[in-house]
Amino acid sequence: MSGPPEIGGSRIRTPGVDGDPVPVDAEVKVHDARAEAPDVDLDRSLRPPTLEDFVNQRQVTEQLAIFIEAAKRRGEPLDHVLLAGPPGLGKTSLAHIVAAEMGVPMVQTAGPALERKADVASFLTSLEPGSVFFIDEIHRLGRAVEETLYPAMEDGELPVVLGQGAGARTVTLPLPPFTMVGATTRAGLLTTPLRDRFGVSHRLEHYSPEHLALIVERSARILDVEIDSDGARTIASRSRGTPRVANRLLKRVRDFAQVKGSGQVGASVAADALEMLEVDDGGLDRSDRALLETIASKFGGGPVGLSTLAIAIGEEQDTIEDVLEPYLLQQGLLKRTHRGRVLTQRAFEHLGLPAPDGAASLF
């Protein structure tokens, strides 16, 4: 067979391979199948470069270290890896680390970017042997695209339809050995056939303040920020157990320290900066407190329905369910009941408000 394959009558074209020019000043895009994450960019980021530098998730990193070493000794690619967990815990960082530890290139994309079978085919056919193919938010793949991945993951083959109509025929293209790493914040939305094709599956958990303090100190060294252990702990304690939040707060505290102080970050400077950012001791921001205070003051602690609550605070229902509520539920500040949302005793204590009469029966 000569020439690039056709899928649904359309040729798969790859810049630099089919004669199409590659723009010199083009930035690396998430959908660029030939773009590998440069080592220089990783060095400039706050991502941990190795499994040893990855803090807290020891049950994950220790197992991955064994699996990676075994694959390298056999001269085989690592089995497909599924990483699940809330946003900001390091799933993308682990994917980069897997590629670095294996010494292979990494190709990155996201589930919503793969809209057609041809999109998947263009990625898979351009992979180098042993590459890591990372799909973020893999639970958002369309069904047709997902089914295209099944033979690729299991048999290393890609069925391609040549031509259209009655004259169409299917040709199976062999693929180079590769490792697929999928990341998802909602593992329950993955179909069973896709989930079962991952040989390694891990779930990342939230970080303790002690581990987050280590991450803050490491990030401060990379950002050239002077910070003491008390300042790091202050930031860590308000970071919702999430490294991404910790790094974001560190950058804003750094700005505050440079403008309002000497540039050094101690406990008092960090506390003043976080107070300006309206992040309280429990890591709650203004939106979180607005939701709790609305239920407490306007609805007597609940129960209140989601639609009513959304109108009361001026937010969309999806925002409340997906953005605001998860952390409040994790901290035991809010309960979901069949009658609606209810504040817990802990929420009233956090807000410094007395629990209303009769509210004890709700807790």
Side-chain angles (χ1 to χ4, degrees):
M1 183 177 64
S2 61
E6 296 182 4
I7 294 186
S10 300
R11 295 182 62 198
I12 303 172
R13 304 191 62 86
T14 305
V17 175
D18 293 313
D20 294 344
V22 179
V24 176
D25 58 346
E27 296 182 358
V28 173
K29 302 296 184 182
V30 70
H31 57 270
D32 186 353
R34 300 178 57 81
E36 299 171 12
D39 291 340
V40 174
D41 290 343
L42 285 178
D43 291 340
R44 291 174 180 171
S45 78
L46 302 180
R47 300 188 188 279
T50 66
L51 289 174
E52 286 294 326
D53 294 318
F54 203 91
V55 176
N56 184 52
Q57 310 286 345
R58 305 313 301 177
Q59 77 283 0
V60 176
T61 56
E62 289 175 1
Q63 292 184 39
L64 277 177
I66 293 174
F67 302 151
I68 289 173
E69 180 61 27
K72 290 168 66 176
R73 291 185 182 184
R74 293 192 301 268
E76 301 174 355
L78 181 66
D79 205 352
H80 304 304
V81 180
L82 177 64
L83 302 172
L89 298 188
K91 297 184 292 296
T92 301
S93 295
L94 273 178
H96 282 281
I97 290 173
V98 167
E101 297 276 357
M102 291 293 296
V104 297
M106 176 173 141
V107 176
Q108 179 174 348
T109 187
L114 301 176
E115 298 178 349
R116 303 170 300 167
K117 294 181 180 181
D119 298 331
V120 178
S122 64
F123 276 102
L124 294 177
T125 54
S126 65
L127 292 176
E128 298 180 22
S131 295
V132 168
F133 182 32
F134 175 54
I135 303 180
D136 198 9
E137 297 300 314
I138 195 171
H139 63 271
R140 297 179 63 184
L141 287 174
R143 181 56 59 88
V145 172
E146 180 181 311
E147 290 176 353
T148 303
L149 292 175
Y150 294 165
M153 296 175 68
E154 199 162 22
D155 304 319
E157 298 177 344
L158 179 65
V160 177
V161 177
L162 301 179
Q164 294 179 335
R169 60 192 179 93
T170 301
V171 175
T172 301
L173 298 179
L175 296 174
F178 71 98
T179 297
M180 179 179 292
V181 178
T184 177
T185 55
R186 305 182 69 178
L189 296 183
L190 288 177
T191 63
T192 300
L194 179 60
R195 186 168 54 246
D196 289 347
R197 282 173 168 80
F198 287 96
V200 180
S201 181
H202 291 297
R203 178 173 179 82
L204 277 63
E205 304 294 342
H206 284 94
Y207 291 61
S208 67
E210 292 76 17
H211 288 125
L212 281 177
L214 296 176
I215 293 174
V216 170
E217 291 176 357
R218 175 184 176 276
S219 298
R221 290 193 295 270
I222 295 174
L223 296 172
D224 197 22
V225 177
E226 293 186 45
I227 188 171
D228 59 27
S229 57
D230 292 335
R233 283 195 296 269
T234 300
I235 295 174
S237 66
R238 306 189 188 193
S239 298
R240 297 172 172 261
T242 306
R244 182 181 296 164
V245 175
N247 288 329
R248 174 173 58 82
L249 293 180
L250 171 63
K251 292 177 182 179
R252 302 291 71 80
V253 171
R254 173 194 60 180
D255 296 342
F256 182 90
Q258 290 176 345
V259 174
K260 295 292 187 179
S262 62
Q264 297 180 339
V265 178
S268 60
V269 171
D272 290 343
L274 293 170
E275 182 178 351
M276 180 195 69
L277 294 171
E278 299 184 83
V279 178
D280 64 23
D281 293 340
L284 274 61
D285 59 21
R286 179 171 54 182
S287 298
D288 298 320
R289 290 192 301 275
L291 186 147
L292 297 180
E293 289 170 355
T294 298
I295 298 176
S297 61
K298 295 183 178 180
F299 302 101
V304 55
L306 178 61
S307 59
T308 303
L309 183 58
I311 295 172
I313 66 173
E315 286 283 4
E316 295 292 332
Q317 295 184 34
D318 290 344
T319 302
I320 295 176
E321 286 191 301
D322 299 334
V323 179
L324 300 181
E325 285 188 343
Y327 184 68
L328 300 177
L329 291 167
Q330 292 163 9
Q331 297 303 303
L333 300 173
L334 188 68
K335 290 171 56 178
R336 288 177 177 171
T337 71
H338 67 282
R339 297 175 58 196
R341 274 56 176 175
V342 179
L343 294 190
T344 65
Q345 183 66 42
R346 185 174 181 179
F348 285 101
E349 294 172 356
H350 184 85
L351 295 174
L353 300 173
D357 295 336
S361 61
L362 299 175
F363 306 135

